[in-house]
Amino acid sequence: MARLVNYQTSFADGQVSPKLKGFVDTATYKSSVADLKNFVVIPQGAVSRRPGTRYVTSTKSNLQSRLVPFNFGQDQAYILEFGNLFVRFYQSNAQVLSGGSAFEIVSPYGTSALDGMSFAQSADVLYIAHPSYQPRMLIRSGALDWEFETFWSKDGPYDLINSNESAKLQVTTTVPTSGKIEVGEPQVDITDDFFLLTNHDLLDGMVVRFTLASGSWPEWHGTLSTGGSPTAFDASTDWYVVNATATTFQVAESLVGRPVYLRASNDTVKVIKQIHAKGSAVTMKIGNGTSAQWTNSGTKTKDTIHTYPSASSAVTPSDGSTDLLFTDTAHGLLNDDIIQFRASGSVPDGISVSTNYYVKKLTDDTFNISLTPSTGANTTIDYSSSGSGAGSGVSWYKNKFYTAVVTHTGSASNYPTSVLGNDVWEELSINSGLGFVTTDNDSLMRFNPLTGSAIKWGYIQIDSVTNGLTITATIKEEIASSGANHEWRKSVWNDGDGWPRSVEIFQQRLTFGGNNTFPQTVWFSKTGDYDKFSPSEQIGMATGNVSASGARIVGEQIKDDNAISLTISSATVDLIDWMRSGKKLTIGTSGGVFQMYGSETEITLTPFNFTVDHVTSYPTETNVLPLLIDQQVIYVQKNKRKVREIAYKIKIGDTNATDLTLRADNISIKNIEQIVYQDMPNNIVWCRMGDGKLTAMTYNQSLQMS
């Protein structure tokens, strides 16, 4: 019998699954092997023994760590070892030492947070995102000089503008001396009843006062009638600017009043703008900062705010190892639900009927309460069941604020959330009707105090929450008036709504993706200004915007480089797992992969030019970050068994998600936990498996190897 010798000259398709053993007529069969251990396929098609490894040191205490690359450039590359509340550093195949010991710094991230961290590097700054932590920056100043800083955004990002006209926000603090700014010396035109002042920056709704520069005060009258004596202006009266143009303005006695008539010009006055200047400490209130408990009788006045318990239940307090323990069968509460208490008799010692408490669920029938959410310290309430402090007739309830849209007479059927009530009540759009809560501390709000067509946004940072309708805050960008207005918007990042899950840098914008309340939203900073997230900016002399006559133009505009917020629209709520920046921003979600960019003809993303393209419905694995190789995105599919490739295409609709593990599906049976790319020398994608082993995939698109 003749002897048959088969020569195999290429192993370019590597190890293949036993499922392909019968396909002897395919090209893959002729260039593959059944089992390939401790070898790698090189791009030319041959195989070579796998490279060796070098032992540097063990992880700290031999515990779980996460290794993160940091490449500053100019041959200054590091490996960062993130562990339980520490970071250690490696450079040039050795551990960075200080005084003979491993150099390390304190980290805010514990072991449980390591898998959920996302990273983006810009020069010597590493931006870090995690859904349970405010974003951080790890800043390098030298080999032994690293430090964490909390990332504080400026002027955003924000939720939608409040549309409830009854929910008016107002600064109630008196204007400080620093906010009394001289605008100029206007001429008084008694013929047409206006003040003339070139290049003033006053807008309708702003508050001004006057000071006397020389002589005697100008005079005004409330009506056209000349009956009665005119009144002199003075230095202590607040006037509201109305009918402002580039060079003229009038004043009124109230925000919605008609302009006064000027009767005598007399001598010179100066106009003093009354603003809340940057850095001022203020109190701000929704309405008057108080609300009435809803009752089913009595007249409800338009614009008044009422509280209504949307859910409530009787509860039995007891002493649970010094912590106040509540028993309520099948209470239905979840951790961090916000509740308040009332009692037909007395409330237990240590709690108040006017305070928000956070639920600490123990079982389906019992719970504790805390003054802080689960992200803060465990401040459960101490309690003694002896004597009158035990309380009687106690019930918990979820309190919500509603505003009366019209004046009406209350009745049992005419309450918030009822069919009839929906026509006359509107839920306060702060934390889904809960009003301000302690998790709003340190978060931002944007506010336009000017009514009508005038716009001048300022923003504040909340210092503390007095109650559901009142806060104290620091002015971060001047508030132009003390007027009440419903045009305000609240930050979307805080301990209550959650923090961004992912971070990336795309087209010179720092980009964050998804949090608990807004899982499908991507926030882009202003171009080239990584910490600024303002959706618009003021037009004025600072930006070079003046009219042909040289008069200053004041107002708000949206420019191409302003911050952007884009929300993925799909049939399901798709949690953003990761983002990867290339020519397009690729976004991995629980509902597949999306890409964001400008358009097919102009790739640059702007507030006026954007595309959100659903590339594939194959979902992504939450804690396995993808790779960008050239312009191809390599990612691990949900359940960690498949690796897919999204090839860069210009034209929408040309993109697909190729399964790179199709021919070798048995290799990933132990699950893929992490992927990294080694370009030199053999274009290897290394996969760390769930059992601690490594799997190598040679990836070279030009040779169609993967």
Side-chain angles (χ1 to χ4, degrees):
M1 183 176 180
R3 184 179 180 185
L4 180 62
V5 178
N6 181 37
Y7 291 98
Q8 183 168 336
T9 59
S10 174
F11 300 90
D13 288 307
Q15 180 175 320
V16 294
S17 167
K19 298 174 183 177
L20 288 175
K21 283 184 177 179
F23 291 86
V24 297
D25 57 341
T26 64
T28 295
Y29 188 89
K30 298 176 178 62
S31 58
S32 59
V33 295
D35 192 22
L36 192 64
K37 288 186 173 68
N38 288 317
F39 284 86
V40 295
V41 179
I42 66 175
Q44 290 77 11
V47 294
S48 175
R49 286 187 179 273
R50 66 165 175 82
T53 59
R54 174 183 295 175
Y55 175 77
V56 175
T57 188
S58 300
T59 62
K60 185 176 181 180
S61 302
N62 275 329
L63 296 177
Q64 178 185 346
S65 292
R66 180 168 181 177
L67 302 181
V68 178
F70 184 99
N71 186 5
F72 179 72
Q74 303 176 23
D75 297 325
Q76 298 183 64
Y78 297 84
I79 295 294
L80 314 184
E81 177 195 344
F82 281 81
N84 185 34
L85 304 177
F86 74 89
V87 183
R88 301 201 300 185
F89 304 86
Y90 300 84
Q91 186 181 33
S92 302
N93 300 317
Q95 191 171 50
V96 176
L97 303 177
S98 176
S101 301
F103 171 66
E104 68 176 58
I105 63 171
V106 175
S107 164
Y109 302 100
T111 302
S112 61
L114 298 180
D115 287 339
M117 298 167 70
S118 174
F119 307 90
Q121 185 184 340
S122 174
D124 54 5
V125 179
L126 185 69
Y127 294 92
I128 306 172
H130 187 284
S132 299
Y133 295 78
Q134 186 171 348
R136 300 296 205 276
M137 299 178 293
L138 179 57
I139 302 173
R140 170 195 175 274
S141 300
L144 297 177
D145 190 358
W146 301 72
E147 64 176 341
F148 280 97
E149 287 188 7
T150 302
F151 176 82
W152 296 96
S153 63
K154 296 178 182 176
D155 204 4
Y158 299 107
D159 198 359
L160 299 176
I161 298 174
N162 167 58
S163 60
N164 184 349
E165 294 190 7
S166 299
K168 290 182 170 63
L169 182 66
Q170 184 174 13
V171 179
T172 57
T173 302
T174 302
V175 174
T177 301
S178 61
K180 299 176 180 180
I181 300 173
E182 182 178 318
V183 178
E185 299 180 0
Q187 299 179 36
V188 182
D189 189 322
I190 62 174
T191 302
D192 295 314
D193 300 299
F194 62 71
F195 293 91
L196 174 64
L197 180 61
T198 302
N199 291 336
H200 73 76
D201 63 352
L202 301 176
L203 293 170
D204 288 359
M206 285 185 172
V207 176
V208 297
R209 290 187 179 185
F210 294 100
T211 60
L212 187 62
S214 61
S216 56
W217 288 96
E219 298 176 342
W220 62 276
H221 206 292
T223 66
L224 277 172
S225 170
T226 57
S229 301
T231 304
F233 285 93
D234 58 51
S236 60
T237 302
D238 285 337
W239 295 94
Y240 291 86
V241 175
V242 294
N243 301 327
T245 69
T247 57
T248 66
F249 64 94
Q250 295 178 289
V251 296
E253 293 181 88
S254 66
L255 189 62
V256 294
R258 63 179 302 163
V260 299
Y261 300 94
L262 303 179
R263 286 293 178 248
S265 60
N266 293 337
D267 292 303
T268 303
V269 292
K270 294 180 180 179
V271 59
I272 309 297
K273 180 169 59 175
Q274 308 288 294
I275 67 167
H276 295 280
K278 180 178 179 179
S280 302
V282 297
T283 298
M284 302 185 75
K285 296 182 178 182
I286 300 291
N288 62 0
T290 61
S291 67
Q293 188 72 34
W294 188 91
T295 60
N296 62 2
S297 61
T299 299
K300 307 299 187 294
T301 305
K302 182 180 184 297
D303 293 347
T304 55
I305 299 177
H306 294 255
T307 56
Y308 180 77
S310 58
S312 61
S313 180
V315 70
T316 302
S318 62
D319 188 353
S321 299
T322 72
D323 287 338
L324 183 58
L325 176 71
F326 290 97
T327 301
D328 178 15
T329 303
H331 53 70
L333 293 169
L334 301 174
N335 280 329
D336 291 341
D337 275 352
I338 299 175
I339 61 174
Q340 292 188 0
F341 292 89
R342 63 161 63 98
S344 59
S346 61
V347 295
D349 282 347
I351 66 174
S352 167
V353 295
S354 61
T355 301
N356 285 331
Y357 296 96
Y358 295 86
V359 170
K360 304 291 184 184
K361 179 182 176 181
L362 301 178
T363 70
D364 290 341
D365 303 323
T366 61
F367 63 92
N368 291 140
I369 57 173
S370 172
L371 290 170
T372 57
S374 58
T375 53
N378 184 12
T379 55
T380 48
I381 307 300
D382 290 339
Y383 170 73
S384 174
S385 59
S386 62
S388 61
S392 61
V394 181
S395 62
W396 64 264
Y397 61 101
K398 290 183 177 179
N399 205 34
K400 286 196 172 185
F401 293 97
Y402 294 85
T403 57
V405 179
V406 297
T407 297
H408 63 281
T409 300
S411 65
S413 61
N414 194 9
Y415 57 85
T417 75
S418 70
V419 175
L420 178 61
N422 285 339
D423 294 333
V424 292
W425 296 95
E426 189 169 351
E427 184 181 278
L428 187 67
S429 53
I430 300 178
N431 298 316
S432 300
L434 294 172
F436 295 111
V437 294
T438 55
T439 52
D440 291 324
N441 289 342
D442 294 329
S443 63
L444 305 178
M445 288 188 71
R446 206 173 205 230
F447 177 46
N448 171 36
L450 307 179
T451 58
S453 60
I455 301 174
K456 191 177 188 304
W457 292 98
Y459 79 99
I460 58 99
Q461 185 170 26
I462 298 173
D463 295 324
S464 64
V465 175
T466 304
N467 56 52
L469 301 174
T470 304
I471 57 174
T472 59
T474 299
I475 302 292
K476 306 299 288 186
E477 185 173 304
E478 72 176 46
I479 302 295
S481 171
S482 297
N485 196 7
H486 70 276
E487 293 181 357
W488 50 265
R489 52 198 310 185
K490 186 173 170 290
S491 171
V492 294
W493 296 351
N494 49 63
D495 287 334
D497 292 313
W499 300 99
R501 299 178 59 84
S502 56
V503 61
E504 186 59 286
I505 296 173
F506 178 65
Q507 294 183 351
Q508 299 300 308
R509 297 176 185 267
L510 186 61
T511 305
F512 290 96
N515 65 356
N516 295 340
T517 304
F518 304 90
Q520 297 176 269
T521 300
V522 179
W523 300 280
F524 301 84
S525 75
K526 180 180 175 66
T527 302
D529 197 346
Y530 287 174
D531 58 358
K532 193 163 188 178
F533 285 81
S534 53
S536 64
E537 61 186 64
Q538 184 182 353
I539 307 171
M541 295 185 88
T543 57
N545 293 283
V546 294
S547 68
S549 63
R552 181 180 179 186
I553 305 170
V554 182
E556 291 280 331
Q557 67 174 350
I558 299 175
K559 299 176 68 177
D560 282 347
D561 65 348
N562 280 133
I564 311 168
S565 296
L566 295 178
T567 299
I568 295 170
S569 178
S570 62
T572 57
V573 178
D574 301 323
L575 180 71
I576 293 175
D577 292 325
W578 48 256
M579 300 183 295
R580 186 59 77 230
S581 176
K583 289 185 181 297
K584 299 176 181 179
L585 181 68
T586 304
I587 303 164
T589 79
S590 56
V593 177
F594 295 78
Q595 287 185 328
M596 292 183 179
Y597 53 98
S599 66
E600 294 181 54
T601 56
E602 175 50 63
I603 201 75
T604 303
L605 187 104
T606 74
F608 312 103
N609 180 47
F610 58 86
T611 300
V612 182
D613 182 24
H614 194 181
V615 175
T616 177
S617 60
Y618 294 115
T620 58
E621 181 58 40
T622 301
N623 291 329
V624 183
L625 298 182
L627 303 174
L628 181 71
I629 304 176
D630 197 8
Q631 287 299 318
Q632 325 313 317
V633 176
I634 311 298
Y635 77 93
V636 176
Q637 186 178 320
K638 194 73 174 179
N639 296 325
K640 305 179 182 179
R641 293 293 300 275
K642 293 184 178 182
V643 177
R644 291 190 176 274
E645 172 199 57
I646 298 177
Y648 173 72
K649 303 288 185 181
I650 294 293
K651 186 177 180 181
I652 297 176
D654 280 354
T655 307
N656 54 26
T658 304
D659 182 2
L660 301 182
T661 48
L662 179 63
R663 296 195 302 264
D665 59 356
N666 60 318
I667 287 180
S668 58
I669 196 169
K670 295 297 184 180
N671 294 341
I672 301 170
E673 301 292 341
Q674 183 181 4
I675 56 176
V676 295
Y677 181 57
Q678 180 187 9
D679 178 39
M680 296 293 290
N682 291 320
N683 309 125
I684 302 292
V685 174
W686 293 99
C687 304
R688 178 173 63 84
M689 311 306 292
D691 59 1
K693 296 181 180 180
L694 293 178
T695 294
M697 178 180 68
T698 305
Y699 181 86
N700 190 307
Q701 192 187 47
S702 62
L703 297 176
Q704 297 183 338
M705 294 183 66
S706 59

